[in-house]
Amino acid sequence: MAGAIASRMSFSSLKRKQPKTFTVRIVTMDAEMEFNCEMKWKGKDLFDLVCRTLGLRETWFFGLQYTIKDTVAWLKMDKKVKKQILDEKIYCPPEASVLLASYAVQAKYGDYDPSVHKRGFLAQEELLPKRVINLYQMTPEMWEERITAWYAEHRGRARDEAEMEYLKIAQDLEMYGVNYFAIRNKKGTELLLGVDALGLHIYDPENRLTPKISFPWNEIRNISYSDKEFTIKPLDKKIDVFKFNSSKLRVNKLILQLCIGNHDLFMRRRKADSLEVQQMKAQAREEKARKQMERQRLAREKQMREEAERTRDELERRLLQMKEEATMANEALMRSEETADLLAEKAQITEEEAKLLAQKAAEAEQEMQRIKATAIRTEEEKRLMEQKVLEAEVLALKMAEESERRAKEADQLKQDLQEAREAERRAKQKLLEIATKPTYPPMNPIPAPLPPDIPSFSLIGDSLSFDFKDTDMKRLSMEIEKEKVEYMEKSKHLQEQLNELKTEIEALKLKERETALDILHNENSDRGGSSKHNTIKKPQAQGRRPICI
């Protein structure tokens, strides 16, 4: 992984600012930095400054890479920076571009939040290559929708985790970390030599994705050159030696330097860690554990904050409900009091009317008795008197009935008054109960220098040779096979995700805009052989037959 990161660090531009200084722009995966360099600075001065700025301690894994005259080269530590320049392009399939973009968004914005990351929040971001955008009939909104869908699945990943997942995907790209050189075989056929962290690969000039043959580092015994002729000797002596010619002696020197550096890293990764590396790994584990504890603490605080907000909302809701109940109780009480007052007033009036009627009835009775006692001498007077008596009796009867009816009505009003006062008493009791309820419910607290067995090389005149010790090659081969199996198992889920997205957007692809690399990538995918780790097995599958390019 670290070796792969090294090949991604490159110059982006070089410009003069003033007579004694110039500016160099360094581009990494997720950062772009400018450094003011003195005219006399050498490669090591700039490299040390970059490492200090990025906080790199495992400096032996890294280097500064640039391109000059269509040739990829590494910045030489003992030469002046001003004499060395750059450019680099890597083919990336559309589905992998979307997945890489989603991890880049996770690293920049953190967890997805629909209330914050609304439609159009990626409109100003350049996340996809123009080649991919032009290849499909899809609007920017459609691309954003697919990127956001995967971005939402990365919830909970810290920035360093998202960056690590980004690198894991990037390192599997066919052209990632590969330095290409134009060569010719004995027959004069034009070929490409690719050098990367896995070994040496021979490509057809029209196909930089799939090598025709590969030489893993653990199967190479010696690499050397004499003048423009370069020789690769396999560990198995029964396999023919592969020879090719480059255009310039300088290119052979560069190829050998890359081979030595990549092979050293290959061997270093498979040897026991030095004390310094062990200390660095221990510090890295402690830092990882600290960050994990910090994330857990933040998660607990966030959970507690969310629970507190929910409790606050519930209390506010209950308080509002209690206020509404109290308002309704007060209104009911006021209505009860008004009703009681009206009933009391009406009962008093009715009682007075009843007394008045009773009094009139008594007076009528007295008048009747007086009339009966009066002697009427004549029949006419008697008849008239009887008629008056009869009328007085009817009137007295009617007054008695009206008095009785008024008395009953007064009793009914008294009963209604009693019931109204009882309702008033109950309303006051309920209001008292509401006023004495606790406002906040009880809450339960939430617990809240290299080893002596490193290969050597020698330079004699115009010839340079580099020998690899084969004492541990068989063991390394077994380890590599084991690593490949484990790697393929881990990447199975990722491949399923990429295939799913590829199926979704395939219908929108514009076939006439496909580049040669797109067609090659699709053919490799259909054959199931697009992975670097599949192509690295080819020499083993071919057995001990002669190499023919």
Side-chain angles (χ1 to χ4, degrees), residues 239-264:
I239 299 179
D240 292 344
V241 174
F242 181 77
K243 296 183 178 181
F244 61 86
N245 294 322
S246 62
S247 59
K248 297 180 181 179
L249 178 62
R250 177 179 58 82
V251 175
N252 277 343
K253 293 181 180 180
L254 177 58
I255 294 174
L256 187 61
Q257 289 176 355
L258 284 174
C259 291
I260 294 173
N262 278 283
H263 186 268
D264 286 347

Side-chain angles (χ1 to χ4, degrees), residues 29 65 119 126 174 246 259 322 338 409-410 469 473 525:
M29 184 196 75
Q65 187 186 85
R119 182 183 296 272
E126 295 183 0
E174 291 91 341
S246 62
C259 291
M322 292 172 66
E338 291 175 356
E409 185 176 352
K469 295 187 177 181
M473 287 305 177
S525 299

Side-chain angles (χ1 to χ4, degrees), residues 512-524:
E512 63 274 11
R513 295 187 182 179
E514 285 187 321
T515 63
L517 291 178
D518 288 319
I519 297 174
L520 289 172
H521 174 76
N522 294 334
E523 292 175 353
N524 291 339

Side-chain angles (χ1 to χ4, degrees), residues 436-447:
T436 56
K437 281 185 180 180
T439 304
Y440 300 97
M443 296 178 58
N444 295 325
I446 301 177

Side-chain angles (χ1 to χ4, degrees), residues 372-409:
K372 286 182 178 180
T374 303
I376 301 175
R377 293 181 178 180
T378 62
E379 286 294 331
E380 185 63 23
E381 289 177 352
K382 183 178 179 181
R383 185 183 64 81
L384 291 174
M385 188 61 66
E386 288 177 354
Q387 184 178 359
K388 289 181 179 182
V389 170
L390 182 59
E391 292 176 356
E393 288 178 352
V394 172
L395 180 59
L397 182 59
K398 288 182 178 180
M399 294 178 68
E401 291 176 353
E402 181 67 17
S403 177
E404 184 179 357
R405 185 182 68 79
R406 292 288 184 173
K408 290 181 180 181
E409 185 176 352

Side-chain angles (χ1 to χ4, degrees), residues 92-157:
C92 182
E95 60 274 14
S97 299
V98 175
L99 185 55
L100 288 172
S102 67
Y103 280 112
V105 174
Q106 177 71 19
K108 181 175 182 178
Y109 292 98
D111 288 343
Y112 173 69
D113 186 349
S115 62
V116 177
H117 306 119
K118 299 181 180 179
R119 182 183 296 272
F121 80 104
L122 296 179
Q124 303 302 320
E125 300 286 348
E126 295 183 0
L127 298 171
L128 298 174
K130 292 183 179 180
R131 173 187 57 80
V132 173
I133 296 175
N134 295 333
L135 187 59
Y136 294 89
Q137 292 179 318
M138 296 175 62
T139 64
E141 292 76 14
M142 296 170 68
W143 285 117
E144 179 179 317
E145 180 181 353
R146 280 160 174 78
I147 294 174
T148 304
W150 275 11
Y151 167 41
E153 294 183 4
H154 305 330
R155 183 177 181 84
R157 293 184 184 271

